[in-house]
Amino acid sequence: MLVIRPVTMADLPALEQLAEHAVPRLTNLPANRDRLEERIVRSQEAFNSEIEFPGNEHYMFVLADDEREEVLGTATIRAQAGAAEAYYTYRQETLIHASQQLNVRREVQTLALSHEASDATLLCALSLNPRYKGTSAESLLRRARLMFIAQYPERFSRILAVAFPGYLDSKNESPFWESVGRHFFARSFQEMNHIAGVRSKSFIAEVMPQFPLYLPLLTPQARAAIGREHPAHEDALAEMLAEGFVRSRHVDIFDAGPIVKAERERLETFRRAAWHPVRVRPEHALPDAEPAMIANQTLGDFRCIVARYALSPTGQLMLSPQHAKRLGVEEGRAVLAAPLTLPSAVDALDEGEM
Ligand SMILES: NC(=[NH2+])NCCC[C@H](N)C(=O)O
């Protein structure tokens, strides 16, 4: 049975595999044993501390098959995207270049380096065994983090953000990087992506151009990549838009991948999540019902599974003994449940401020 739980040190070899096989490689999930080990320690600290407001915590989860003792995926919440170091993005802006004398008026799009997203809580570092791509396990891995945030709101920011890997061409090169970053770093996108994961990011501030970029001066390929996700992440982006995230004006500074954000109260999972007392019933006695994410209420032993949203007439959530055991809950204890299926997405650009 598949379950989401906090990472433990025993998961290190599996995490290394997941980091190596992430497509593309992720800055927040460096394929480097020492860095991953630090992240596990850090995550355990976060789960086991009393925290009143978001700071430099990372909460790292794994998707595990408990019977087969196999780790199939991982995902992280960074309580504050830019807690220790600033979180860098490019913000899309419009400038008006006008001359009355010449009777011209031009709107010019620019990208300006920004730290504005630093306060947001970031959902990041998701990697899944490809066998499970497109299954409910993938949705569980992606969205169980929202079930966790819903339970411990004081630990996170009101604004949640997700940065999707940006567009890479068939040669695995980033057209945006080739037109922008390359001039300042003289390294390939893949190398920089790696360095940003294993070393401190202060080099970004030191070497990235400080002045806004004028889009007409970039290559057409680079312009076309702005706000465009990596082909392997189309479904993931669609799911988060269906969840209620909207595209922000911000894009990644290396590959121009889209950054989506939302006030957490607006997300489907937050709006539809409800507490129910548990009633344990034999598997065969459970009525058919839509699938739901179901989470227990124990911070350091957080568990979240997919099971049927089977409610008794008085609002008890009926769980099989196996499901109750996975969640570590007894009859009468409350669990948080939210439907797994989302209404279809509207892909809108948020006009508000980030
Ligand atoms: N695709 C990347 N690796 N981007 C570099 C890191 C940028 C990221 N927004 C940060 O400040 O951490």
Side-chain angles (χ1 to χ4, degrees):
M1 188 185 299
L2 301 185
V3 60
I4 298 287
R5 58 163 173 80
V7 72
T8 68
M9 207 36 97
D11 301 324
L12 183 58
L15 282 188
E16 246 186 309
Q17 289 289 314
L18 287 165
E20 268 165 36
H21 293 126
V23 178
R25 298 268 186 115
L26 303 172
T27 304
N28 279 306
L29 191 65
N32 176 297
R33 183 166 276 242
D34 294 343
R35 291 290 100 80
L36 289 171
E37 199 174 326
E38 282 164 23
R39 275 162 202 252
I40 296 173
V41 171
R42 183 135 178 219
S43 172
Q44 289 178 322
E45 272 167 29
F47 277 105
N48 294 306
S49 318
E50 273 181 46
I51 287 164
E52 299 293 320
F53 47 85
N56 201 8
E57 300 82 39
H58 290 201
Y59 301 83
M60 195 175 205
F61 300 85
V62 293
L63 170 72
D65 183 332
D66 266 13
E67 277 128 44
R68 294 162 64 188
E69 291 192 19
E70 200 185 350
V71 171
L72 305 167
T74 181
T76 295
I77 311 172
R78 270 167 68 179
Q80 215 180 14
E85 299 177 279
Y87 187 76
Y88 294 89
T89 64
Y90 270 131
R91 188 180 199 277
Q92 295 176 264
E93 287 172 5
T94 304
L95 296 179
I96 310 286
H97 286 234
S99 160
Q100 281 195 337
Q101 211 175 15
L102 300 178
N103 195 23
V104 289
R105 182 185 182 281
R106 273 270 158 79
E107 284 189 6
V108 182
Q109 308 296 324
T110 64
L111 289 175
L113 210 52
S114 166
H115 296 161
E116 223 170 37
S118 296
D119 283 340
T121 286
L122 192 70
L123 306 184
C124 62
L126 185 147
S127 176
L128 174 70
N129 181 319
R131 238 168 51 224
Y132 289 82
K133 193 148 172 56
T135 66
S136 58
E138 179 173 10
S139 294
L140 176 68
L141 178 60
R142 182 163 301 115
R143 286 165 48 222
R145 292 172 291 180
L146 301 175
M147 298 292 277
F148 185 79
I149 296 171
Q151 294 201 34
Y152 305 101
E154 67 286 354
R155 292 174 175 257
F156 303 100
S157 163
R158 253 187 58 250
I159 306 286
L160 308 184
V162 194
F164 286 92
Y167 178 77
L168 301 182
D169 63 21
S170 52
K171 285 179 281 162
N172 238 353
E173 271 165 25
S174 158
F176 186 79
W177 176 261
E178 292 304 314
S179 184
V180 178
R182 170 73 88 178
H183 298 293
F184 302 90
F185 288 96
R187 303 262 185 116
S188 75
F189 169 74
Q190 306 294 347
E191 281 174 278
M192 289 311 297
N193 212 17
H194 178 74
I195 294 173
V198 293
R199 298 224 205 115
S200 134
K201 293 187 308 180
S202 52
F203 71 89
I204 294 177
E206 289 153 13
V207 192
M208 277 305 269
Q210 297 297 316
F211 300 111
L213 309 177
Y214 285 72
L215 263 46
L217 303 181
L218 305 184
T219 61
Q221 292 85 340
R223 282 203 296 273
I226 295 172
R228 184 165 171 201
E229 72 280 12
H230 185 283
H233 290 257
E234 280 167 19
D235 294 343
L237 175 59
E239 182 173 30
M240 286 318 220
L241 295 175
E243 177 61 75
F245 283 91
V246 289
R247 290 173 185 272
S248 72
R249 294 184 180 282
H250 296 259
V251 297
D252 184 73
I253 55 168
F254 287 177
D255 58 24
I259 297 175
V260 300
K261 56 143 191 185
E263 277 176 38
R264 60 191 187 197
E265 288 77 19
R266 301 225 175 155
L267 296 175
E268 291 293 332
T269 297
F270 278 77
R271 295 195 309 163
R272 301 198 287 173
W275 290 100
H276 301 281
V278 168
R279 171 104 199 268
V280 180
R281 302 283 285 138
E283 178 76 45
H284 68 262
L286 294 176
D288 204 20
E290 61 168 332
M293 295 186 281
I294 300 173
N296 71 4
Q297 211 187 149
T298 36
L299 182 66
D301 284 314
F302 178 79
R303 297 287 183 278
C304 190
I305 60 170
V306 172
R308 275 176 284 177
Y309 206 156
L311 289 185
S312 74
T314 52
Q316 292 158 307
L317 186 84
M318 294 183 277
L319 287 176
S320 68
Q322 296 85 335
H323 281 149
K325 187 169 160 234
R326 280 292 169 279
L327 289 170
V329 292
E330 282 156 23
E331 200 155 84
R333 296 297 296 273
V335 289
L336 189 66
L340 186 68
T341 315
L342 291 166
S344 56
V346 254
D347 189 353
L349 174 69
D350 185 84
E351 294 297 323
E353 295 297 315
M354 178 145 185

